[in-house]
Amino acid sequence: MNLPHNWELDSGIQVLDRLPDPVVDGYVQASARIAWHITPAVEVSLSGYNLLAAYRVETVEPGTAPLDVQPAHGSGRTATR
């Protein structure tokens, strides 16, 4: 969406259905972006992705247990089987 004074705003919602085999739960994700066009050739933007959850499982290898992903203390994440 074009806004006044050379600003632009974009957002999106994506809905993904559950996978049956291997089983992966469905999820909803959102993203947003705001940009300022300083000149026709120069843009400064800020984008955010996966704004509704800290993590998600997208796929697992057949025959393996899904990863149990939990936020770690600090800035990382841990994954265990």
Side-chain angles (χ1 to χ4, degrees), residues 1 11-13 17 20 26-27 31 42 47 51 55 59 80:
M1 167 188 331
S11 63
I13 298 284
D17 202 2
Y27 59 90
S31 60
V42 178
S47 300
L51 299 173
Y55 57 87
T59 186
T80 58

Side-chain angles (χ1 to χ4, degrees), residues 12-79:
I13 298 284
Q14 185 176 15
V15 179
L16 289 99
D17 202 2
R18 178 180 184 272
L19 295 176
D21 187 24
V23 175
V24 177
D25 290 335
Y27 59 90
V28 177
Q29 68 180 22
S31 60
R33 176 181 161 274
I34 188 163
W36 176 39
H37 297 271
I38 300 168
T39 71
V42 178
E43 172 188 293
V44 176
S45 66
L46 176 66
S47 300
Y49 301 96
N50 303 323
L51 299 173
L52 301 178
Y55 57 87
R56 68 175 180 272
V57 176
E58 291 185 355
T59 186
V60 295
E61 291 293 323
T64 62
L67 293 176
D68 178 17
V69 182
Q70 299 176 1
H73 297 289
S75 61
R77 288 183 179 71
T78 60

